[in-house]
Amino acid sequence: MKQLHIISFNYPYPPSYGGIIDVYYKIKALSDLGIKIHLHCFVDQIPHKIDPEVKEITENVFFYQKKKNPLLYFSATPFAAAIRDSEGLLKNLEKDKAPILFEGLQTTQIIRFLRENDHKLYLRYHNNESEYYKGLSVSEKNLFKKIIYKIESLKYSGYQKKLLKKFEAVFCLSEKEYSEVETYSENAHLIHIFHGNESVKELDTNGKYFLFHGDLSTADNKRALNETIGLFKTLPQYQLVVASDRASEDMKRKISEVENISLTPIQTTENLYSLLEDAHGNILISYQNSGTKVKLFNTLYNSRFVIINENITDDRVLKSVCLFGSDMNEIRQHIVTSAEKEYHDTEKRKEILEKTHSDKAKANEMVKIIFKN
């Protein structure tokens, strides 16, 4: 029986944002191949129950409360990693000598306490964390947060260089990160995002509105939405729906001031898919160069036109089924031209996405690497 410990930076249900979507659907795909998963989750508050959707695909689920000591900001270890440290986790890992898959560098603080040769260690490299926090610092308006993100970026720079060579394999999400890791430690494998979509939706040729969806508590998404609001102020003939459960009062006010823009909550995955199915076009913009964003897959599988800028994906194949704008003027032009066009790309997307980006194929590849002996 093949068994695997997975250490997650958060509880992976519901799978409602980038990294957690990858964690949940990866567990599901591995479980479907018969791998017994021992799931370990760092959380703010330990939940009262485990969702049946998670129980169904795991052998065990363990929870560990993230530390809340603000003095950890002064640790040489990145704060996101320092708060994810637990003696209970070490004890639970000792119960079974199965390989360990760390979800992101922020879960790797306990490596220094693991006895050598007890476990084979693997890393899911969600981000170049140093670059990620650098990007957050650039986008952030709040001076205190800007400084915190900058410091975290500097800490991660040394932390990831020190750690990356310790793993049997590092599973990278994107071409960019694969190249960085391979140059440094020669243990990189390119395994694209797990996204949970199985087939491209058959849709009518026309939708009802343009859609912007995302977590509006992040600086990158707030900046992207501000730019998008600016565009639609100049395009009063087109409706923009903003879908998010995390809009600040300030952002709600900005949206309400523009007649052709409305805000709607996502709440459930089903609601998101319904919004995607009714959208004629989707605006996906990022100012952080961190590989392919998971929401691109949800949009390509479940909606019509997808308008992106350069930071949404570095995958040439995925770019070929999107409308690419190098700046906001080009994004605006794509909005105007796609609004007047019928959508006919379903077959092209099926050919590309279902052959090259299925979760089952990715899980098989990981299993071959982790359990090669």
Side-chain angles (χ1 to χ4, degrees):
M1 185 190 294
K2 292 171 181 169
Q3 303 191 61
L4 179 66
H5 291 288
I6 294 183
I7 304 175
S8 179
F9 51 88
N10 208 340
Y11 178 52
Y13 201 84
S16 56
Y17 67 92
I20 280 302
I21 291 171
D22 181 70
V23 175
Y24 175 76
Y25 288 111
K26 185 189 310 111
I27 293 169
K28 189 173 186 304
L30 290 168
S31 173
D32 288 346
L33 293 177
I35 309 300
K36 304 297 181 188
I37 306 291
H38 305 286
L39 177 62
H40 307 265
C41 308
F42 282 98
V43 291
D44 292 315
Q45 295 296 331
I46 293 174
H48 299 300
K49 65 180 182 67
I50 300 164
D51 291 277
E53 292 87 349
V54 175
K55 265 188 183 173
E56 206 174 280
I57 58 176
T58 54
E59 278 293 289
N60 306 292
V61 182
F62 304 97
F63 294 104
Y64 314 95
Q65 199 155 7
K66 286 186 273 186
K67 294 182 175 177
K68 294 179 179 175
N69 182 357
L71 293 177
L72 291 172
Y73 276 114
F74 302 103
S75 161
T77 302
F79 181 74
I83 62 173
R84 292 176 172 88
D85 196 357
S86 166
E87 285 183 24
L89 170 58
L90 281 168
K91 285 175 185 170
N92 286 326
L93 292 173
E94 290 305 308
K95 291 175 187 174
D96 192 291
K97 304 302 183 188
I100 303 171
L101 176 63
F102 294 86
E103 291 288 349
L105 282 164
Q106 63 266 54
T107 64
T108 57
Q109 173 74 333
I110 58 113
I111 280 180
R112 69 194 196 281
F113 298 119
L114 290 172
R115 288 202 296 270
E116 259 186 69
N117 303 322
D118 272 6
H119 304 270
K120 296 280 189 185
L121 308 181
Y122 299 86
L123 174 69
R124 178 50 149 174
Y125 193 62
H126 283 266
N127 283 310
N128 177 328
E129 297 291 349
S130 181
E131 289 294 316
Y132 174 71
Y133 281 99
K134 185 179 174 183
L136 285 182
S137 179
V138 170
S139 294
E140 184 56 61
K141 296 284 190 286
N142 180 295
L143 182 61
F144 176 72
K145 286 185 180 178
K146 188 181 272 288
I147 293 166
I148 290 290
Y149 291 147
K150 180 65 176 171
I151 293 169
E152 193 80 342
S153 170
L154 293 170
K155 286 182 185 178
Y156 263 119
S157 181
Y159 186 77
Q160 57 198 32
K161 280 181 183 174
K162 187 174 67 180
L163 271 187
L164 284 176
K165 291 180 180 177
K166 291 184 180 288
F167 300 98
E168 300 287 322
V170 177
F171 300 111
C172 302
L173 288 168
S174 74
E175 302 273 358
K176 173 181 174 287
E177 283 141 5
Y178 169 78
S179 299
E180 291 168 356
V181 175
E182 184 62 14
T183 302
Y184 180 71
S185 58
E186 298 182 351
N187 58 357
H189 297 266
L190 180 59
I191 306 278
H192 286 288
I193 292 166
F194 288 80
H195 48 75
N197 296 284
E198 292 179 8
S199 57
V200 175
K201 284 242 169 64
E202 300 273 355
L203 298 167
D204 296 336
T205 55
N206 290 287
K208 300 172 184 172
Y209 48 74
F210 286 87
L211 180 67
F212 179 105
H213 76 279
D215 177 358
L216 292 178
S217 68
T218 71
D220 187 48
N221 282 337
K222 283 191 276 191
R223 183 179 171 190
L225 180 56
N226 278 324
E227 295 280 1
T228 305
I229 288 172
L231 282 186
F232 277 84
K233 278 183 181 176
T234 71
L235 297 167
Q237 68 273 40
Y238 306 127
Q239 294 297 311
L240 173 69
V241 172
V242 177
S244 182
D245 296 325
R246 297 186 179 187
S248 66
E249 291 306 312
D250 180 52
M251 195 58 84
K252 287 177 183 175
R253 180 185 54 75
K254 284 180 183 175
I255 291 167
S256 67
E257 286 171 355
V258 189
E259 201 171 310
N260 58 322
I261 305 179
S262 59
L263 176 67
T264 188
I266 297 174
Q267 293 175 330
T268 66
T269 307
E270 289 71 26
N271 284 356
L272 174 59
Y273 286 159
S274 177
L275 288 164
L276 288 166
E277 284 172 33
D278 284 340
H280 188 71
N282 299 267
I283 317 297
L284 273 61
I285 299 170
S286 175
Y287 295 95
Q288 288 185 298
N289 183 1
S290 56
T292 301
K293 307 294 186 285
V294 71
K295 63 183 173 183
L296 176 61
F297 284 104
N298 284 339
T299 310
L300 287 172
Y301 273 87
N302 298 288
S303 197
R304 296 176 183 81
F305 295 104
V306 183
I307 303 167
I308 65 169
N309 74 346
E310 63 184 346
N311 291 328
I312 292 297
T313 183
D314 59 3
D315 185 320
R316 289 185 297 277
V317 174
L318 294 177
K319 274 186 179 176
S320 73
V321 284
C322 297
L323 301 172
F324 172 71
S326 60
D327 57 31
M328 293 312 287
N329 285 331
E330 288 186 12
I331 298 279
R332 186 184 190 280
Q333 190 54 49
H334 283 310
I335 292 168
V336 173
T337 53
S338 62
E340 309 305 323
K341 281 165 61 177
E342 291 186 339
Y343 171 73
H344 293 288
D345 276 357
T346 303
E347 291 309 313
K348 183 181 177 184
R349 285 192 193 173
K350 276 186 178 180
E351 192 178 326
I352 288 171
L353 295 168
E354 292 175 17
K355 281 182 186 173
T356 62
H357 285 282
S358 81
D359 285 355
K360 185 178 179 182
K362 285 174 269 195
N364 266 314
E365 197 173 337
M366 287 185 80
V367 167
K368 282 178 192 168
I369 294 164
I370 295 172
F371 300 100
K372 62 188 171 195
N373 299 320

